[in-house]
Amino acid sequence: MARSLTDLAGLNVSAEDFLAAVLEAAGQPIWVVDSDGVIRFANPAALGALGYDRADELLGRRSHETIHYQHPDGTVYPATECPMLRPRTTGETVASDLDWFFRRDGSMFPVSYVSVPLAIPQGRGAVVAFTDIEDRLRAERVLREHDAVLAAQQASLRRIAGLVTGGAASADIFAAIAREVAEVLRVTMVQIWRSEPDGTFTVRGAWSERPQPFRAGTNWALDDPASAPFLRATQAGRPATVESLAELSGPVAEIVRASGMRSAAAAPIVVDGAPWGFMGAATDREILPDRVEEHLAEFTELVATAISNTQARLDLAASRARIVAAADAERRRVVRDLHDGAQQRLVHTVITLKLARQALEDVQGDAPALVTEALHHADEATSELRELAHGILPSQLTHGGLRAGVHALASRMPVPVGNEVSVDRLPPAIEATAYFVIAEALTNVAKHSGARRVTVTAWVQDGTLRIRVRDDGVGGARPDGAGLLGLADRLAVLDGRLALESPAGGGTLVAAELPLRD
Ligand SMILES: Nc1ncnc2c1ncn2[C@@H]1O[C@H](COP(=O)(O)OP(=O)(O)OP(=O)(O)O)[C@@H](O)[C@H]1O
Ligand SMILES: [Mg+2]
């Protein structure tokens, strides 16, 4: 059996007292109008929300004139048009998701409300419950703006990523990134600055709504106080903002101010772990956009990727060019050596043999001497051809494998060589590359190290051939020498890597890794 409200929990209160207490305690603003639309009751939450201190300031006034249905210019609409009062005539509930109320001080605020008809002796009034939705609307707007920025940023990042992976020239990429950043972050100008070894900065990409003072390709000292906050922060790998450029002095600040900029931000560009430069953004508006540092940083990551990709591409092209050049040089060397060496010897041999034949026919006494000379030439030619063939590919290697190849190399070394090669036959390309690495390392030991001993180790581990050539000489080998660079290139062709450890006075270790594939 339904129990009346006032019976609740056995409390013997009057409906009036109960309702009064509930309305008093409720956080929900509520007021009641009579059949004339005059406010007869307002709970404390309603008074608070509407900015009234006491109930009598509000009671007795018409709600549509005081709170609701008037134009901001003061025009009051007729009560009959006020939707909130309609339940008095229709007897039906009216609800609104968005409407505007006036506070006591005349300010407007957005509300949602429900207006419920209330039967009273003179006819029909209404109970209105409303919620101030200003905070909610603001939050939603922020969210929408944020979503819009995010969407624009994602689209922009995708466009740039397309340029980067498409292999566009870096100048174009930098210019595109500067423009995208300016558009997405709604700033006035953007520059991508490259720090140079002499401490100056070169503009690598720039975009501006106004005449651009820092054009791509120009070089700046950036040593004035205005630049200091950015340089300090970017050197430390952190972004920075300067809220008011007006307070800064120095030539760069002058230029920036003269172009109408008021505040600026910058984020460092770090390429493969090393500082490369920074991206700066400035605005002619009062304040910088929200979280500009964070957004800048997202773009600088792309800049870094673009730079790193371009560098990798250039490295690869340079390496290919070096391989081709080395192969050409090698071919020329072989031709020259053949021409100057073995070929000359053989010519001499033939001539001498002809002379010997003539001497034999004439029965002259110097035939044995001529034959001896011819033999000598033939011997020399043989060993020169052997030497030459060593430079190409020694038969020990092609017939006996890497261990045999190293054995042959060791036999020509002026210092003892420990041969700790423990690999069986490998694919020919791997064997040849491994052989050339060891041959060059050993030649370097003989030429430069002054070592007393050298050890060659080679073994296969995890599908990779590992090679170590370690000497106990003077150290100080330079990885950028033609010989060692050539090795790195040769290894790179087979996805291999070269590492060099050569502290001054501490001997030299040449280490190479070569993945084995079928
Ligand atoms: N084992 C080593 N001990 C000491 N110094 C070395 C050693 N290997 C190389 N170096 C030093 O490093 C430099 C670079 O070596 P690299 O093999 O690249 O050039 P190179 O031997 O001088 O010329 P190339 O190999 O083209 O004939 C050498 O000039 C030498 O000064
Ligand atoms: Mg060398």
Side-chain angles (χ1 to χ4, degrees):
M1 191 180 113
R3 304 165 74 185
S4 92
L5 212 55
T6 52
D7 276 351
L8 263 181
L11 289 175
N12 237 344
V13 291
S14 73
E16 197 180 335
D17 287 349
F18 178 75
L19 196 60
V22 168
L23 287 171
E24 175 89 21
Q28 170 76 59
I30 292 173
W31 80 66
V32 177
V33 292
D34 65 15
S35 52
D36 294 326
V38 173
I39 301 170
R40 293 310 192 94
F41 170 83
N43 75 346
L47 292 174
L50 293 165
Y52 292 87
D53 294 331
R54 299 190 322 271
D56 60 10
E57 292 170 338
L58 191 59
L59 303 189
R61 308 175 79 158
R62 289 171 190 280
S63 72
H64 73 287
E65 292 171 8
T66 320
I67 301 169
H68 185 209
Y69 226 50
Q70 44 172 304
H71 196 268
D73 71 7
T75 318
V76 176
Y77 299 101
T80 47
E81 284 179 21
C82 178
M84 208 171 64
L85 296 178
R86 206 163 295 146
R88 296 171 313 143
T89 45
T90 64
E92 277 169 16
T93 295
V94 170
S96 169
D97 284 341
L98 173 63
D99 211 323
W100 295 85
F101 283 180
F102 285 88
R103 296 192 188 92
R104 188 188 178 193
D105 63 9
S107 60
M108 288 178 86
F109 65 104
V111 294
S112 64
Y113 70 76
V114 55
S115 178
V116 182
L118 175 70
I120 52 175
Q122 311 93 299
R124 216 187 270 127
V127 176
V128 178
F130 71 93
T131 307
D132 179 342
I133 58 171
E134 188 150 35
D135 289 347
R136 201 191 79 206
L137 290 187
R138 189 182 302 120
E140 281 172 6
R141 195 180 60 235
V142 167
L143 216 61
R144 267 199 312 279
E145 280 172 2
H146 183 250
D147 284 355
V149 169
L150 217 63
Q153 185 165 356
Q154 293 306 321
S156 157
L157 290 173
R158 272 198 300 279
R159 277 195 297 278
I160 296 172
L163 277 178
V164 172
T165 51
S170 47
D172 295 342
I173 295 178
F174 292 146
I177 292 177
R179 196 192 58 232
E180 295 276 0
V181 170
E183 264 167 31
V184 170
L185 303 187
R186 300 191 188 123
V187 289
T188 318
M189 58 170 65
V190 173
Q191 299 92 19
I192 293 167
W193 299 86
R194 165 72 161 132
S195 75
E196 303 293 351
D198 64 0
T200 62
F201 284 79
T202 306
V203 180
R204 299 292 292 270
W207 191 89
S208 176
E209 253 173 52
R210 294 164 169 247
Q212 172 65 268
F214 306 108
R215 251 186 291 273
T218 54
N219 182 263
W220 299 77
L222 295 191
D223 52 3
D224 60 330
S227 315
F230 297 125
L231 300 191
R232 258 201 315 278
T234 54
Q235 267 152 21
R238 280 182 281 104
T241 46
V242 170
E243 297 289 350
S244 172
L245 291 167
E247 291 153 18
L248 293 174
S249 57
V252 173
E254 292 293 308
I255 293 170
V256 176
R257 267 202 300 275
S259 43
M261 297 306 107
R262 298 206 195 168
S263 41
I269 300 171
V270 178
V271 177
D272 298 332
W276 182 92
F278 68 92
M279 179 151 71
T283 176
D284 57 5
R285 278 185 259 172
E286 198 71 57
I287 47 165
L288 282 162
D290 243 13
R291 295 166 47 218
V292 64
E293 297 182 348
E294 213 174 295
H295 292 313
L296 272 182
E298 281 160 1
F299 280 97
T300 54
E301 262 170 45
L302 265 187
V303 178
T305 311
I307 295 163
S308 170
N309 278 3
T310 312
Q311 195 52 50
R313 233 181 9 250
L314 292 178
D315 286 351
L316 191 65
S319 156
R320 283 194 185 129
R322 283 198 301 267
I323 289 170
V324 170
D328 287 350
E330 187 65 9
R331 226 173 279 129
R332 276 196 297 276
R333 185 185 72 79
V334 171
V335 170
R336 194 184 55 232
D337 287 3
L338 274 175
H339 174 269
D340 299 350
Q343 200 178 329
Q344 302 297 325
R345 296 281 181 200
L346 287 172
V347 169
H348 276 287
T349 312
V350 171
I351 293 169
T352 318
L353 279 174
K354 278 181 182 163
L355 286 174
R357 188 180 58 194
Q358 213 174 350
L360 281 174
E361 281 167 2
D362 298 351
V363 207
Q364 285 176 5
D366 48 359
L370 285 171
V371 173
T372 308
E373 190 185 334
L375 260 178
H376 167 72
H377 282 308
D379 269 346
E380 286 292 303
T382 311
S383 68
E384 274 172 23
L385 279 175
R386 194 188 296 124
E387 277 295 316
L388 187 63
H390 274 309
I392 304 169
L393 260 195
S395 60
Q396 288 95 331
L397 178 73
T398 45
H399 289 125
L402 193 57
R403 191 176 160 79
V406 171
H407 184 76
L409 286 172
S411 69
R412 298 207 298 270
M413 282 290 288
V415 294
V417 178
N419 183 350
E420 294 175 12
V421 174
S422 63
V423 292
D424 271 338
R425 296 312 301 264
L426 299 166
I430 301 272
E431 264 181 359
T433 298
Y435 175 81
F436 282 119
V437 169
I438 296 167
E440 170 61 21
L442 286 179
T443 307
N444 279 353
V445 171
K447 274 192 344 196
H448 311 296
S449 75
R452 279 177 301 140
R453 195 181 158 71
V454 53
T455 308
V456 179
T457 320
W459 72 104
V460 172
Q461 189 187 336
D462 305 329
T464 300
L465 172 64
R466 294 165 204 271
I467 301 165
R468 305 280 182 269
V469 179
R470 184 188 290 283
D471 70 52
D472 58 1
V474 295
R478 292 189 333 270
D480 57 350
L484 291 172
L485 210 52
L487 289 190
D489 288 345
R490 220 184 252 278
L491 285 162
V493 172
L494 297 176
D495 287 335
R497 279 186 305 124
L498 184 77
L500 185 70
E501 272 175 38
S502 190
T508 297
L509 170 67
V510 173
E513 322 265 277
L514 261 176
L516 298 177
R517 289 206 217 93
D518 30 54

